[in-house]
């Protein structure tokens, strides 16, 4: 997983300037999913959906720093049940539910407690990056193995992450990596010591000692900001490689209030400035190029050790980056550059030979990976817990019955945008429903919806919900949203098999299924409920249309 | 709490024959809520909503024997935080999430584990009743303190619950209490040893030693079936006290398929027989009369010890009993006899003096009790977890802004009715939306809805959704259901106060609220995101109509 990697910043996805031969190499051996979406276009919530296989409203960790509640089932739980380890190498953005841990008496340093604290992973190495000021500010709030590494390599100071890896060097002077103006400077670090190569080395170390079967979440911090990259990547791309921003004056004329509020924030304002784009985007491309080179290093290692033939590889991201498109920066909303992600899956098994090098345009959700992995591990997919669907049929070239819509959510309750919109914390929530053509965005709090038709308006400039021309489409997508809202998300303590067993027992006995948790019912009771006269009405059946 | 006590089987609720002076005595000192509904008309799911203050789809324990997942917050958690103990005396129908306990390493015999296993209660005494065959069948699956008591009182055999307390005596011969034909026989037990007096004695023992502040869930098994009651209660009422069944041939003409399936089950078939009703209903009334007498005993005890003046008393039930109305028996569906419950609250505080002896017709849900109790305990209502609303304003005579609808749910996935309807486990779910006049019932699985207008059809005989006359009402209630489906139910690890604090910090800094879980953002970053040119767009604001 790469953090904040746009779906279209890969050469296999058609980028006109950026060559990513190693991403393409995996795509050539696997399937590239061209309609893959995250469950929320913000790091924390999106990742918790990847790691639980559940929608954001189901797991409840709706934003960065909102803890995943203790006891929530994770990919690690499911994989370990199937006999596969589940390791973390890099970033998760997991925030521990400390209150819940204390309430249940779970010690953070116990195996169980540590897994709860780390979202179900066993930690090979965790580093979330973004180490700001220290030691009184952010840095040292958690330990940064990467910062320790930098110190061991002779980078001095309290926070070499900030002073070297994420600072520029300009005529011998340190130039803050936070400043967009410095995005064209080389990072103040030897390339081999920067974050991406460092994590790749840790990954190789892990694989070197790992005993199969294992699952490893190799989770790079880049190309997430700060937008600064070491030489020679800082000068591989320049303003001539920066496309015009995909934005329209029409979008600013009468924007939906929520969209308007996000357009007005300072991140957006910065990216509305083309000087910023001309400096930042080449750095972003350089960061991706470095990721691609390191991916090549990893692929070579796998190939040399024979592991390429028995290792499933999935390349994806937790969300995209607006980069100034739609007058916005970063992520947060539901335009394609933000909510759509790259997803390339190479399954080495012979069953997947037929699809190598193909693309698949099925509507994929990030929560589909967890069941895909459980299936690959030989486990039974706990579909009373996991809300995604295994992608294996697509990898085998089948065309299964599939979902009609994807859902994504965004909770902006802690952002400044809520204040400017004047909505309650509970109403500061957005829902996207996308059927592959029409994209509806519902905003709680009494706002009108937004609607885009990607068939006639692939750039998503024209919010059709401003007019009364598309009532039927809006209604149809709202029906989908309502059905999704009634989904069975929390019946997690009874599997489908449990339910079949309980139902079977009650059906054999004919009555009193409610007695004693579905245990066998003695004949005495069966008699009782036949009543003295022994009437026996036949159940009516057959469905009517909705 | 009484189990399966119909809202209208109390004299204060207008029953024509049953005198319940002690229920009435509490009603005269408090408020009787005339529109109180359970979150699910089945024991287990309904109780888990009472005990968590959350909708069934939120806590996930959707039927009897579906474990409440480990870590779910309970009333006990909230009350203990407010400095109040929370004790169980009687029945809960709680099923432990053994898999979750094992996964988190919680020992059932630890304080934390025991509370998890008992739905947040400290157990003074637990007895769920319904002890069937033993020891190879149900009985002894769990310990029954009541059965132990019976043995200590000289009632012999493996399962004196079945042989004495819930068997009849007929000319010296034991007569099974499971057989409706025996409902007019006296129970084979001394009245003072039967379940209701026994639990009352245990309650008095508890109160006698308890140190304030405490909350006690005094949870009677009766008047739940088996319908058999000791002398003299067995002969207090007779066939002349049995009202005609509230049912109409119209209901059987073209029933909704789900309703039709339930009408066809054997419990329903038994209750469709008037011989059954003429024997069972007098026994049910006798059981209630015994409950009332024992309530009198408890009230007298409280009065004598001065506790009546500082004890809040709430009388309610987990659901009703069809008793043959609507061609049905027991509970399970959403007609008033099943889904509506008695709810009488006596708050001894002077603020509630103005409402004593009054009735309140506000739309009340069973989940409102948990926040009512937390408020009474002096705690802060955790409204990011509790989905109900405190009833205190009504008790003080205020008229707060209030909900427009009540929701109730029913999961019939393990019942025989699912097979006859041919729906999947996931689709075997019903939702009721009631606005005080119109009652919509939505059935998953492609069925049409049901609709009743209680203003023109208080008996709920006429399913208006069969015609196309009420499309607007159906649409309006579906909108309510959709909004409820999008409710924020799982964001339980961040309180409103947490969110205000996070938002406040990000707003003061103006930007980058996503950094480091809402921690302070250094000025350096603030500068960076202003961008080199320092543009500052003002957020648009103002709402538009939906």
């Amino acid at each position: 997983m790469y953090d904040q990697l746009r779906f279209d910043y890969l050469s296999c996805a058609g980028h006109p300037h950026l060559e990513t031969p190693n991403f393409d190499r995996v795509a050539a051996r696997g399937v590239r999913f061209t309609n893959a979406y995250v469950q929320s276009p913000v790091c924390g919530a999106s990742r918790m959906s990847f790691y639980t296989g559940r929608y954001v409203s189901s797991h409840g960790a709706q934003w960065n720093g909102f803890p995943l509640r203790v006891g929530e089932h994770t990919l690690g739980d499911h994989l370990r049940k199937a006999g596969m380890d589940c390791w973390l190498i890099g970033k998760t953005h997991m925030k521990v539910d400390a209150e819940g841990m204390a309430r249940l008496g779970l010690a953070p340093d116990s195996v169980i407690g540590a897994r709860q604290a780390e979202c179900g992973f066993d930690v090979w190495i965790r580093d979330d990056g973004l180490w700001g000021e220290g030691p009184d500010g952010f840095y040292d709030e958690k330990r940064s193995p990467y910062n320790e590494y930098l110190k061991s390599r002779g980078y001095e100071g309290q926070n070499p992450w900030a002073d070297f890896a994420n600072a520029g060097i300009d005529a011998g002077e340190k130039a803050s990596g936070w400043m967009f103006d410095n995005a064209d400077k080389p990072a103040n670090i030897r390339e081999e010591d920067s974050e991406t190569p460092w994590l790749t080395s840790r990954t190789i170390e892990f694989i070197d000692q790992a005993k199969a079967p294992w699952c490893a979440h190799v989770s790079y911090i880049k190309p997430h900001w700060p937008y600064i990259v070491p030489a020679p990547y800082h000068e591989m791309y320049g303003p001539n490689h920066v496309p015009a921003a995909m934005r329209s004056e029409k979008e600013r004329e009468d924007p939906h209030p929520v969209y308007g509020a996000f357009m007005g924030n300072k991140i957006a304002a910065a990216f509305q400035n083309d000087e910023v784009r001309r400096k930042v985007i080449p750095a972003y491309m350089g960061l991706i190029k470095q990721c691609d080179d390191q991916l090549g290093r990893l692929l070579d290692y796998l190939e040399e050790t024979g592991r390429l033939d028995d290792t499933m590889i999935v390349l994806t991201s937790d969300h995209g980056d607006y980069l100034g498109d739609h007058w916005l920066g970063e992520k947060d909303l539901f335009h394609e550059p933000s909510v759509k992600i790259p997803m390339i899956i190479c399954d080495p098994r012979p069953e997947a030979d037929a699809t190598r090098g193909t693309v698949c345009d099925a509507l994929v959700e990030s929560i589909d990976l967890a069941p895909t992995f459980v299936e690959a591990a030989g486990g039974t997919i706990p579909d009373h817990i996991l809300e995604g669907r295994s992608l294996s049929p697509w990898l085998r070239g089948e065309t299964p019955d599939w979902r009609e819509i994807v859902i994504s959510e965004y909770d902006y309750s802690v952002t400044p945008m809520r204040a400017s919109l004047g909505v309650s914390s509970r109403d500061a929530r957005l829902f996207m429903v996308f059927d592959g053509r029409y994209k509806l965005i519902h905003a709680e709090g009494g706002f009108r919806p937004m609607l885009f038709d990607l068939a006639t308006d692939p750039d998503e400039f024209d919010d059709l919900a401003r007019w009364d021309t598309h009532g039927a489409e809006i209604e149809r997508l709202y029906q989908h949203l309502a059905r999704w809202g009634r989904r069975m998300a929390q019946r997690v303590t009874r599997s489908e098999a449990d339910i079949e067993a309980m139902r079977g027992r009650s059906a054999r006995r004919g009555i009193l299924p409610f007695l004693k948790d579905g245990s066998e019912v003695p004949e005495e009771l069966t008699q009782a409920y036949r009543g003295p006269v022994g009437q026996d009405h036949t159940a009516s059946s057959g469905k009517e249309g909705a």
Side-chain angles (χ1 to χ4, degrees), chain A:
Chain A
M1 179 179 285
Y2 300 87
D3 198 323
Q4 202 151 319
L5 174 59
R6 253 176 88 131
F7 75 97
D8 56 354
Y9 269 62
L10 299 173
S11 46
C12 57
H15 196 281
H17 304 296
L18 186 59
E19 288 300 324
T20 51
N22 294 296
F23 278 89
D24 300 4
R25 186 172 156 197
V26 179
R29 297 172 56 98
V31 177
R32 188 168 64 84
F33 291 90
T34 59
N35 280 304
Y37 293 86
V38 285
Q39 264 45 74
S40 183
V42 63
C43 287
S46 172
R47 286 165 178 271
M48 296 310 120
S49 283
F50 273 101
Y51 306 154
T52 61
R54 289 159 60 74
Y55 292 104
V56 173
S57 281
S58 300
H59 62 63
Q62 301 189 192
W63 216 72
N64 295 339
F66 286 30
L68 186 74
R69 68 173 159 218
V70 70
E72 184 75 6
H73 293 82
T74 59
L75 175 62
D77 295 318
H78 304 306
L79 288 181
R80 279 188 289 272
K81 197 174 281 184
M84 182 176 275
D85 287 339
C86 187
W87 289 89
L88 168 68
I89 305 167
K91 168 173 174 169
T92 59
H93 222 119
M94 170 68 183
K95 175 84 172 180
V96 61
D97 176 10
E99 185 278 333
M101 295 269 285
R103 188 160 44 89
L104 296 183
L106 300 181
D109 58 355
S110 66
V111 171
I112 288 171
R115 285 175 178 164
Q116 287 294 314
E118 296 292 356
C119 197
F121 291 105
D122 288 324
V123 176
W124 181 254
I125 203 153
R126 175 174 174 179
D127 204 300
D128 276 10
L130 298 184
W131 304 109
E133 295 289 295
D136 298 324
F138 316 141
Y139 171 50
D140 283 353
E141 183 188 303
K142 297 178 198 148
R143 177 175 163 263
S144 165
Y146 178 60
N147 242 333
E148 302 304 315
Y149 167 83
L150 289 179
K151 289 176 185 174
S152 79
R153 298 280 290 169
Y155 299 94
E156 291 179 2
Q158 287 282 7
N159 185 359
W161 179 91
D163 293 337
F164 296 96
N166 287 277
I169 185 80
D170 187 16
E173 294 292 310
K174 189 188 96 169
S176 169
W178 298 111
M179 300 294 286
F180 290 167
D181 205 34
N182 295 327
D184 58 350
K185 311 287 186 301
N188 187 21
I189 192 167
R190 293 183 292 272
E191 192 271 334
E192 65 266 29
D193 290 332
S194 61
E195 285 170 292
T196 299
W198 171 76
L199 199 75
T200 306
S201 298
R202 300 296 79 77
T203 302
I204 291 170
E205 286 169 6
F206 167 80
I207 298 173
D208 228 31
Q209 59 78 54
K211 300 214 181 342
W214 49 262
C215 171
H217 176 42
V218 183
S219 184
Y220 289 96
I221 295 151
K222 296 298 177 184
H224 193 291
W225 49 263
Y227 299 105
I228 197 147
V229 64
Y233 297 100
H234 76 294
E235 58 186 3
M236 285 188 183
Y237 306 96
N240 54 319
H241 299 113
V242 174
M246 191 167 68
R247 64 193 184 200
S248 159
E249 282 302 328
K250 196 189 324 190
E251 295 178 287
R252 298 212 282 191
E253 277 163 20
D254 178 27
H256 187 283
V258 176
Y259 180 26
F262 277 84
M263 271 199 279
N265 82 8
K266 289 177 178 174
I267 299 162
F271 275 96
Q272 286 160 18
N273 185 322
D274 279 335
E275 288 178 50
V276 169
R277 296 184 72 253
R278 280 192 289 268
K279 288 209 171 180
V280 163
I281 291 176
Y284 181 72
M285 292 168 71
L287 287 165
I288 296 169
K289 185 68 180 173
Q290 187 186 26
C291 288
D292 186 76
D293 284 344
Q294 291 298 316
L295 174 60
R297 190 180 148 217
L298 186 55
L299 293 173
D300 289 346
Y301 166 78
L302 289 172
E303 195 153 40
E304 286 157 17
T305 56
R307 295 272 170 79
L308 205 52
D309 298 326
D310 63 3
T311 304
M312 175 184 277
I313 300 171
V314 179
L315 305 175
T316 191
S317 181
D318 58 348
H319 53 74
D321 192 325
Y322 274 110
L323 295 172
D325 290 347
H326 302 288
W327 310 97
L328 295 170
E330 307 279 3
K331 50 260 179 178
D332 302 332
L333 293 184
F334 302 105
H335 298 91
E336 299 280 276
S338 171
V339 73
K340 183 185 272 199
I341 48 171
M343 188 173 291
I344 302 167
I345 305 184
C346 168
D347 182 341
R349 292 173 291 188
E351 302 93 290
D353 284 349
T355 60
R356 300 196 192 286
T358 64
V359 296
C360 174
D361 63 1
L363 291 171
V364 167
E365 298 184 319
S366 64
I367 56 177
D368 294 340
L369 288 181
T372 303
F373 298 162
V374 172
E375 188 172 337
T380 302
I381 295 171
D383 59 2
H384 61 303
I385 302 172
L386 296 179
E387 299 190 292
R389 299 183 54 179
S390 169
L391 297 171
S392 302
W394 298 110
L395 300 175
R396 293 192 297 259
E398 299 164 11
T399 51
D401 275 341
W402 201 244
R403 66 169 62 89
E404 295 175 61
I405 54 151
V406 293
I407 295 280
S408 193
E409 304 175 69
Y410 187 66
D411 180 331
Y412 62 98
S413 58
V414 301
T415 75
M417 278 62 85
R418 172 157 79 89
S420 64
L421 288 161
V423 298
S424 73
S425 136
R426 194 169 291 262
D427 281 346
R429 294 181 298 133
L430 308 174
F431 297 84
M432 177 196 88
V433 189
F434 179 52
D435 69 0
R437 173 172 178 178
Y438 288 102
K439 188 184 282 186
L440 176 82
I441 293 143
H442 167 74
E444 295 293 325
F447 299 104
R448 69 164 172 85
M450 294 167 248
L451 182 75
F452 298 96
D453 177 356
L454 275 73
T456 61
D457 175 33
D459 292 337
E460 305 176 272
F461 291 154
D462 193 8
D463 179 354
L464 299 170
R466 288 174 299 168
W467 330 118
D468 58 3
T469 49
H470 286 73
E473 295 304 336
I474 290 171
E475 170 61 18
R476 183 176 61 80
L477 292 167
Y478 263 113
Q479 293 281 352
H480 278 294
L481 182 60
R483 193 172 307 133
W484 175 84
R486 298 188 309 262
R487 77 196 177 283
M488 198 204 70
Q490 307 300 333
R491 196 174 76 183
V492 295
T493 59
R494 283 293 188 202
S495 70
E496 290 294 321
D498 292 337
I499 284 171
E500 285 312 313
M502 288 175 77
R503 199 192 58 73
R505 282 196 296 271
S506 69
R508 278 198 303 283
R509 292 296 187 160
I511 57 130
L512 280 181
F514 41 81
L515 190 72
K516 299 297 300 174
D517 312 342
S519 315
E520 290 290 326
V521 176
E523 193 60 23
E524 186 180 37
L525 279 65
T526 313
Q527 292 299 331
Y529 274 90
R530 291 220 179 94
V533 172
Q535 279 177 286
D536 192 8
H537 290 267
T538 305
S540 76
S541 66
K543 292 185 188 186
E544 298 184 11

